[in-house]
Amino acid sequence: MIKIGNAPCSWGVEFADDARNPDWRRVLKENAGAGFTGIELGPVGYMPEEPTILAEALSEFNQELIGGVIFRAFHDPDAWDDVLDGSIRTCKALAAHGATRLVIIDSISPRRAPTAGRAAEAEQMDTAEWTAFRDRIATIAKMGAEEYGLSVGIHAHAAGFIDFEPELERLLSEVDENILGICFDTGHHSYAGFDPVAFMTKHISRINYMHFKDINPKIKANVIANRTGFYDACGQGIFCNLGDGDVNFPSVRQLLLDSGFDGWCTVEQDCDPSGNTSPMDDAKLNRTYLQSIGF
């Protein structure tokens, strides 16, 4: 059974300590009001880490906690303590509420942000740096899978060091599939310059979780042509409402159905928490669109 959820990043919540973040209870309430019954944790520390407090609020708004994302600098060896702290806290929070999906994302690197979407220009790690980077990801994946019983997925992300399809496939070939699957993000794959449906067709057996995101093709073409960096591209609105971009969601749905995919697909409508958009309106539009194509 395919279930549709949402995430706090759809309200602009990317970092737990951002003063612009909306109140976490408001996010739960508006997510429910937009027709969703599941939500991600968001950056650990945004929602209360005291299980009783969060459990009561999830129950109040009829929400199921789906999973959580570790969005940390896996590429930076000096950031390991921060990566480990965020990972352990996220795993504990998910386990406390019976959530099953752990997502690993290498966060945005200053070395990669200027070339987001342009694989040919992106700086690459040398062999030693890549090996250490891969092993840090594998260490957290193993912890999540074996110590906490979570279904772990690597998530390619623009402006990180797992961005483009060859990097993602290299990592998958080098880390045991029993500890690391794929959280596949349709929008980031398109932004990177690759075909989401083609990748899904090839790797559907390893995809254990989905993030639904769409990309405005005109803005994407402009930012690639103008060599625009990641942050400016986000400010220009490269991530659009589902169905308004270049991702073929009807084909995505058919692939998931044909493969017997069972579980959550989570909407991520990234936005600026202080921007002019209405996250709840976008959430309603995204839910309506997905319903219109059979989700």
Side-chain angles (χ1 to χ4, degrees):
M1 177 182 176
I2 296 175
K3 297 181 284 187
I4 303 297
N6 208 331
C9 67
S10 297
W11 278 258
V13 180
E14 301 289 352
F15 303 99
D17 57 356
D18 191 331
R20 302 171 299 167
N21 286 340
D23 179 74
W24 64 274
R25 286 180 55 86
R26 174 191 146 195
V27 171
L28 292 180
K29 181 179 181 180
E30 292 190 355
N31 197 53
F36 294 92
T37 57
I39 194 164
E40 281 190 359
L41 182 68
V44 69
Y46 170 63
M47 291 190 188
E49 291 181 74
E50 166 52 52
T52 303
I53 297 173
L54 182 54
E56 289 175 353
L58 290 168
S59 176
E60 178 183 349
F61 296 111
N62 191 32
Q63 296 292 297
E64 179 179 338
L65 191 66
I66 301 166
V69 174
I70 305 166
F71 182 69
R72 304 269 169 143
F74 284 85
H75 59 265
D76 182 358
D78 294 332
W80 178 244
D81 287 346
D82 179 66
V83 170
L84 192 59
D85 173 70
S87 300
I88 292 171
R89 289 165 60 202
T90 299
C91 286
K92 287 181 176 179
L94 300 183
H97 299 284
T100 59
R101 298 289 183 257
L102 179 68
V103 180
I104 293 175
I105 303 179
D106 180 41
S107 63
I108 294 163
S109 165
R111 295 161 60 191
R112 276 297 189 98
T115 55
R118 302 192 305 283
E121 299 179 35
E123 178 183 347
Q124 298 295 324
M125 293 177 169
D126 64 25
T127 300
E129 187 181 13
W130 168 268
T131 300
F133 171 63
R134 176 204 66 200
D135 289 349
R136 286 191 288 272
I137 293 172
T139 296
I140 298 305
K142 183 178 176 69
M143 179 185 75
E146 296 183 356
E147 294 182 32
Y148 293 91
L150 301 169
S151 180
V152 185
I154 185 68
H155 178 306
H157 194 288
F161 275 93
I162 301 293
D163 183 355
F164 307 108
E165 194 170 288
E167 297 156 359
L168 177 56
E169 292 189 323
R170 179 182 181 184
L171 182 76
L172 293 170
S173 73
E174 295 180 12
V175 179
D176 185 352
E177 64 181 8
N178 291 312
I179 62 170
L180 186 68
I182 304 168
C183 171
F184 188 65
D185 187 298
T186 55
H188 279 283
H189 209 76
S190 170
Y191 186 175
F194 298 90
D195 181 348
V197 173
F199 182 88
M200 288 182 67
T201 302
K202 184 177 179 182
H203 295 283
I204 191 68
S205 65
R206 199 157 173 181
I207 294 173
N208 55 27
Y209 185 33
M210 291 290 300
H211 278 176
F212 284 172
K213 187 183 277 98
D214 214 345
I215 294 288
N216 182 307
K218 291 182 179 179
I219 295 176
K220 180 172 75 170
N222 286 337
V223 301
I224 297 303
N226 296 326
R227 303 180 72 251
T228 303
F230 176 75
Y231 293 107
D232 288 337
C234 292
Q236 292 175 25
I238 193 169
F239 297 119
C240 61
N241 282 331
L242 304 186
D244 291 344
D246 62 12
V247 176
N248 186 340
F249 281 103
S251 292
V252 168
R253 174 183 177 272
Q254 195 59 52
L255 269 170
L256 293 173
L257 290 174
D258 291 345
S259 71
F261 182 89
D262 183 25
W264 288 95
C265 299
T266 294
V267 175
E268 288 198 330
Q269 178 62 47
D270 293 1
C271 69
D272 181 343
S274 58
N276 295 323
T277 58
S278 167
M280 187 172 181
D281 287 347
D282 284 338
K284 287 179 177 178
L285 288 169
N286 287 328
R287 190 68 195 95
T288 298
Y289 168 72
L290 290 172
Q291 287 172 330
S292 76
I293 62 170
F295 276 115

